[in-house]
Amino acid sequence: MRKKKKLPVVYKPFGFVLGWASGALAGLTFQAMWKALRHEEDAPDALDRERTWREVLLAAAVQGAIFAVVRSAVDRAGAKAIERTTGVWPESGKDSKGGRH
């Protein structure tokens, strides 16, 4: 088993920018998808009195799923780019014992 090298500190700001960008991209994707699915400009908010529980929870579920997929795709692409440039895969910060190698 190879010993992991520590990634340079430069990944922290890169990761922050990726996180911000993925959140913005996810928000835009959700708005476009909601408009295409429901033909409405705005998705329901939890405090929209006129909306049903079903509408509010459906919007939250769709938004959460889109956010998770976009965030994972952007994080993964960023990690691959870092690995290509530095030769080191960025660590997730989670304890790697028992995890995938």
Side-chain angles (χ1 to χ4, degrees):
M1 182 161 71
R2 277 186 354 214
K3 184 176 179 181
K4 278 190 172 180
K5 296 184 218 172
K6 284 283 189 184
L7 187 68
V9 177
V10 73
Y11 184 70
K12 292 282 185 191
F14 184 68
F16 176 77
V17 170
L18 283 178
W20 179 84
S22 67
L25 181 60
L28 292 172
T29 303
F30 171 68
Q31 288 295 350
M33 184 166 287
W34 189 262
K35 189 175 180 178
L37 290 174
R38 300 291 302 227
H39 308 292
E40 299 172 351
E41 288 296 318
D42 295 319
D45 182 80
L47 299 179
D48 285 347
R49 177 173 277 223
E50 309 303 315
R51 302 296 187 128
T52 65
W53 277 90
R54 182 175 178 223
E55 289 175 304
V56 169
L57 296 180
L58 174 65
V62 170
Q63 186 175 26
I66 290 172
F67 181 81
V69 168
V70 170
R71 177 74 189 254
S72 293
V74 170
D75 284 349
R76 186 71 178 193
K80 293 290 253 182
I82 289 293
E83 183 183 39
R84 276 193 307 274
T85 2
T86 66
V88 179
W89 186 264
E91 293 185 31
S92 67
K94 295 178 183 176
D95 187 4
S96 62
K97 293 180 183 175
R100 290 175 285 180
H101 295 279

